[in-house]
Structure formats: C-alpha cells, structure tokens
Amino acid sequence: MQVLLGFLLALLLSGLLLRSWFPYLGHDLRNFYRAVTLAIRVMIYKRKQPPVTLLDVFLQRVRQSPNKTFVQFEGRTLSYSELDRQSNQVARIVQRRAGLQRGHCVAILLSNTPLFVSVWLALAKLGCPVAFLNFNIKGKSLLHCFKCCASQVLIVGGDLRCSVEDVLPSLRENNVTVLILDDECTIESIGNDEIQAASDQPLPLSLRSHVTFKSPFIYIYTSGTTGLPKAAIITHSRAHLFASFIATCGIYSNDVIYTTLPLYHSAGSMVGICGCIYAGATVVLRRKFSVSQFWDDCRQYDVTVIQYIGEVLRYLCNVPKKSDERDHKVRLALGNGARPDVWKEFLNRFGNIQVCEFYGATEGNVGFFNNVGKIGASGRTSVFTRMFMPFHLVKYDVDREAPVRDANGHCIEVAKGETGLLIAKITPKAPFIGYAGNSVLTNQKHLRDVFCKGDLYFNSGDLMMLDNDNFIYFKDRIGDTFRWKGENVSTTEVADILSLLDFVQDVCVYGVTVPGHEGRIGMAAIQLQSGRKLERSQLYEYLRTHLPSYAWPRFVRVQKQIETTGTFKYYKVTLMKEGFNPMTIQEPLYFLDDQKRTYVPMDEQLYDSIIGGQVKL
C-alpha cells in the first residue's frame, strides 16, 4: 500500500514539475496530435483515386446532412443540399453560355453573398480553377488581375456591373466572355429565371476527372513588393491545409461562424467558407462589416465563432458601451492582427471569448497560430512545429532592404527576443508554389544560399520576434507594401497611378504610423512639375476614380526634390520616420479631407486632432 501511495505521489509531483517547467507542453502535444491526425486524413484523401478534393468533402456533407444550414444571409437560410442544387444550375448555364472546357480558368467579381459560394462550387464541378477578383479594384489594376490567370471568362455580380463598364471594351477586344448575373436585358446578363430553369441534377464526374492535388483550385491576389497584385496559386492540396486549420482551433459541426471579411481574401474564403465545409458547420455572411450591427447579427443568428482582422476588434472596442454587449453566444474569435491593448479591451468588454490569433501569408509555406490565449502573440512554436515547417528568423538590414550576411555569405539567425526576417525552407512537405504567370515574381520570394550552398528558403517579407517561451510576434512588414484597413497596399502600384497626373514629376509612396491605429496609413511625397502647383481637388477626384479608398495617400508632402540613393532607390525609411508632423517638417503638408473632397493644408491643430483620434481615418 505504501509503495502504491509513493508511486502515486511521485507521479503527481512529476506532473506538477512538468507543468512548472513546461507550462505549454499539454497544448503543444494536443496541437501536435491534431496536426498529425489532419495530415494523415489529407494524405488518405490524396492517395485515393480520384483524390478527395474540398468539393468532394462538401458533397459528403450534402449526403450526410442535406438539410443542415450551410449559409445564412440577410434573413435567408440555405442548406447544404440547396447550395449544391443551385451550384448545379449555375454550372450548366455558365458552361452553355461561355463554352467552358475543363481546366479553363474563370475570374469572378462577386460581393459577399451566397451567390459567390454557389458560383465557386459550380466552377469546381466543371473542373475549372477560379480567380477571386477584389471588387474594390478598377481600371488598369482590374485588367492586370484578370490577365494574370490567363482567363477568358469573367463572371460579375449585378451589383458590381459599374466596376467593369470602363474595361468592357478592352475585354471584348481580347475575346473575353463577360457574364453578368442580373436581370438586365443585355447580351452579358444571366437572369435569375434562366438559372432557375436549368437542371439541378448532379454534373458528370468526368468534367473534373483531370483534377489532382497539384491542380490549381483558386487564385487569390496578394499585394507585394513588386507593384500590381500577384495571383497566388492555391492548389487542391493547399486548400485542404487552409480548411483543416480551422479544426485545430476547435471548431465543430454545431458551430455558427460569422464572417464579414471579403470572400476574395483567403481568410474569408479558405478559412471561413472552406473551414466551415471541413467542420460541417454553418456560416453567416454579411456584405461588409458593420460595427453597429455586429453584435445584433451575432444574437440573431446564434453565432458561436467570429472572424476578425485587427481593425474589426478595434472598431468594436471603440463604440460606446452597451448594457447587452455580453449578451451573445460567441465563444471563439479567429483571425489576425489584434494589437495587445485592443485584445485586452475586447476581452474585458465582451466576455469570456477565446481569441485564436494566427499568422500566415496566402502564398507562404509557413504559418503559426496561438490558441492558448497569449495576448499579443501571433502564434506558438515548438519542436513539433519545426518538424513540419523548418523556419528561421534572420538578421535584416532595413536600410539596405536585405538580410545581413556573414563573411561566408550566409544569413545570421537572431537570438530569442530579437527581431528578424521570417524565412522558411522550401521542401516537398512545405512547398512554395508561387504566382501565376510570373516566374520573375516567384523567384523574388526565393532566398538562396541561406545557411549553406544551394539551400532555398521562402522570404516572407515579415519581421518577427520569438520570445523565450517560444511565442512568435509579428513586428512589421518590409519592402514596398504596408497594411491599412485590413488590406495590403502596394506603394509601387499607388505611385505608378499618381505619376500619371500631369502636375506630378516624381512621387514616392510609403506608409506611416498613426497612434491608436493598426498598420500604416498611406502618404505620398510629390515633386511637382516645374511651374505647376498641387491640384488638390483634382488629386482627390483622381484617386476616387482609380484606387480603392484604403490605398489613397491620406497625407501628401510636396518636396522640391525627392532624394534617391546611388541606385535610384528612395530614402523611404527616412520619410517614414519623419511622418507627417508639420512642426518638424518645413515642406508643405496636406491631409485628405473626405467631407471637403479635397486635400487641406496640415497645421498644428489638425495634426493634434489626428493624433488624438478626433479625426476619422
């Protein structure tokens, strides 16, 4: 008896010591188990003939729970079987009207409605990869995105018809088939009656018999350091990884997921929609985020899981307190970009909600998640993490915009607690597929001869920090991209558009920080043509026509000469540090005033109002 008691006491003490020395060991083992289980499932899916794609997982859900609610939207409820039948109808109409052949890429410009999901499923049933176009982009950028994926068909929602009117002549010249889903009496229109009249019976499996795990599933556009948006290739294999991620966060079939994030983003489509399919759950869609309706929607639809970006949580925390703001069923918030102060305030305001913060680039081969509640951390790493994703943080020279290398030409890994550039080894288990139709841009994300001759790594373009407890923190983005309002903004793209103005001789675009706001806000240093002045109202109207609002430079600095290095690179680091303070900058400064629809001169009073949060940005 004494031996047994001694054994039990030793076991208890061992457990307490392990918990003391390794407080997160249980979380790490549980996450490792989930990851291995999901990896085995995906491997089985891959080896089956034909392979089990996400569409097949959806069809399994249709067979298992045909009447279960899949999508809720503006009071409407659509079951898994209803979306299945509707997508069959859409597939037949699109195939007939566009003459689609299997494997042909189709671009879609659709807003956050069930129609997006229906068209996406329809095209998957036809064996066609889909390019998700950002419905904020216009003109040149829209044409560029369309051409990236070599598509000859464009499907547009009726509410977005005006977005393509300017480029329709150019598309027609290139023999592009444009289909607009509305009831207008035009040659491009597909009315609801026509869809309803089509057969809703299953389509032949032969239409997608060519699909493998390596086949493109979708293209998602991501801004980078090289100008216009790039089409990241999401294969069927990678789609499974995106969707299975949601299971590691503890989401189940009885959950209701609320997403206000745009479906053309990977967070909305791959994590939100595909993750919902993987779990067999229900998703609630909204056309766009509304801070005033957010919690009302959560109560109306019995939401248990919300998706966010950092800005969403901040907006929710900025509204006046209400007596019923804890009256909801939300138990989990899933997203990225939550600042520590906003994170804490969100929990204090809205109750016991688990925040699962994650990090990952759409096209990248590395990602992390933090499901242990460590405020501010983008994810947690362990020895298990590195088994699947060999990554490192290396020293980075911000002024030179390049990793620091030693005397042997190799990169230098930073110590824990130091900020470094996140890189991940490209391997068969952690591939970097790259961008559609542009090997140059793909190669620019490669980092070679990192620790030895011939090795190859993915350059994330992000500066991160790993602490002593193996939590990883996002610090900043490098290069010519900054993030504002939850969107990546390419400074090169904005500068190219501004340079077309007749009074602009030279322009440098960059992002600056504003207290109380996530990311960076756009600012442009402009050198005027000789004898010209800044046409402030013209500049405002020009931006409205050519760029989405999140990409507008909110501040303009007029310089006599924009200085460059010997290799003709702008001194962006200096400009970013100087910011937009009129007390320290002697050159003319202007601020974009939405109400006056022009740029107004910056003075000390306006600056203080912006810094103090009295001016909406």
Side-chain angles (χ1 to χ4, degrees), residues 1 35 51 136 162 184 221 254 309 325 344 349 452 617:
M1 185 66 177
N136 292 295
C162 60
E184 296 288 333
Y221 292 85
N254 60 347
I309 55 175
E325 61 187 24
K344 291 177 184 176
R349 284 277 300 272
C452 63
L617 297 175

Side-chain angles (χ1 to χ4, degrees), residues 291 295 313-328 341-353:
V291 67
W295 293 112
L313 298 191
R314 183 174 69 82
Y315 291 147
L316 294 174
C317 290
N318 281 349
V319 300
K321 290 186 177 181
K322 294 182 178 180
S323 58
D324 64 347
E325 61 187 24
R326 284 175 171 245
D327 180 18
H328 58 76
D341 56 334
V342 174
W343 191 329
K344 291 177 184 176
E345 176 65 13
F346 178 77
L347 295 180
N348 290 335
R349 284 277 300 272
F350 303 108
N352 186 26
I353 301 173

Side-chain angles (χ1 to χ4, degrees), residues 525-566:
I526 293 178
Q527 179 181 336
L528 298 170
Q529 294 282 0
S530 179
R532 298 296 300 273
K533 65 177 182 178
L534 183 69
E535 303 292 344
R536 292 178 280 163
S537 296
Q538 180 185 344
L539 175 57
Y540 175 87
E541 293 299 331
Y542 182 79
L543 291 172
R544 284 185 69 249
T545 304
H546 292 85
L547 285 172
S549 59
Y550 61 77
W552 297 349
R554 295 282 167 168
F555 302 100
V556 168
R557 176 177 178 175
V558 177
Q559 294 190 295
K560 291 183 179 179
Q561 180 78 36
I562 301 179
E563 295 185 17
T564 60
T565 67

Side-chain angles (χ1 to χ4, degrees), residues 32-285:
F32 176 68
Y33 172 76
R34 287 174 174 173
V36 170
T37 302
L38 291 167
I40 291 172
R41 182 196 297 179
V42 172
M43 191 180 301
I44 293 171
Y45 285 166
K46 181 179 180 180
R47 290 181 176 177
K48 284 196 172 184
Q49 293 298 327
V52 179
T53 65
L54 265 174
L55 173 61
D56 294 307
V57 176
F58 168 76
L59 294 174
Q60 287 175 9
R61 299 285 176 249
V62 174
R63 291 191 294 270
Q64 293 165 357
S65 307
N67 298 321
K68 179 178 175 58
T69 299
F70 178 24
V71 177
Q72 291 182 291
F73 176 76
E74 296 182 353
R76 294 165 54 202
T77 296
L78 292 165
S79 68
Y80 275 85
S81 61
E82 285 175 316
L83 258 297
D84 176 44
R85 293 195 300 272
Q86 187 181 92
S87 64
N88 291 338
Q89 292 173 316
V90 172
R92 284 187 164 84
I93 296 298
V94 172
Q95 185 183 39
R96 184 174 72 245
R97 294 282 295 271
L100 276 179
Q101 301 296 317
R102 66 182 194 173
H104 283 186
C105 178
V106 178
I108 64 174
L109 188 68
L110 299 168
S111 51
N112 273 35
T113 68
L115 187 61
F116 187 110
V117 183
S118 181
V119 172
W120 180 10
L121 291 171
L123 293 169
K125 291 176 178 181
L126 293 173
C128 297
V130 190
F132 294 167
L133 300 183
N134 181 336
F135 52 68
N136 292 295
I137 60 175
K138 302 174 183 177
K140 176 185 174 184
S141 297
L142 182 59
L143 284 174
H144 163 80
C145 291
F146 182 78
K147 292 175 181 177
C148 276
C149 55
S151 175
Q152 283 298 304
V153 179
L154 173 63
I155 299 176
V156 183
D159 56 331
L160 297 172
R161 174 188 283 269
C162 60
S163 299
V164 298
E165 285 179 345
D166 291 343
V167 297
L168 273 178
S170 180
L171 293 172
R172 287 168 179 154
E173 285 177 9
N174 289 284
N175 296 317
V176 172
T177 301
V178 179
L179 301 175
I180 300 177
L181 301 174
D182 63 13
D183 290 308
E184 296 288 333
C185 295
T186 64
I187 192 171
E188 295 94 357
S189 296
I190 296 178
N192 188 57
D193 289 343
E194 184 177 357
I195 294 175
Q196 293 300 318
S199 169
D200 63 1
Q201 293 303 299
L203 280 83
L205 294 178
S206 59
L207 291 172
R208 51 191 177 94
S209 60
H210 64 288
V211 171
T212 70
F213 258 41
K214 292 183 179 180
S215 302
F217 180 39
I218 59 174
Y219 299 96
I220 292 182
Y221 292 85
T222 171
S223 294
T225 61
T226 51
L228 292 165
K230 305 183 292 291
I233 304 169
I234 309 297
T235 62
H236 285 271
S237 175
R238 186 165 176 77
H240 270 293
L241 294 178
F242 266 106
S244 62
F245 159 74
I246 209 165
T248 64
C249 299
I251 294 177
Y252 308 102
S253 60
N254 60 347
D255 276 310
V256 179
I257 305 167
Y258 180 53
T259 183
T260 62
L261 308 182
L263 296 180
Y264 59 74
H265 273 184
S266 56
S269 55
M270 300 308 300
V271 177
I273 300 298
C274 291
C276 176
I277 292 172
Y278 229 68
T282 297
V283 65
V284 178
L285 293 180

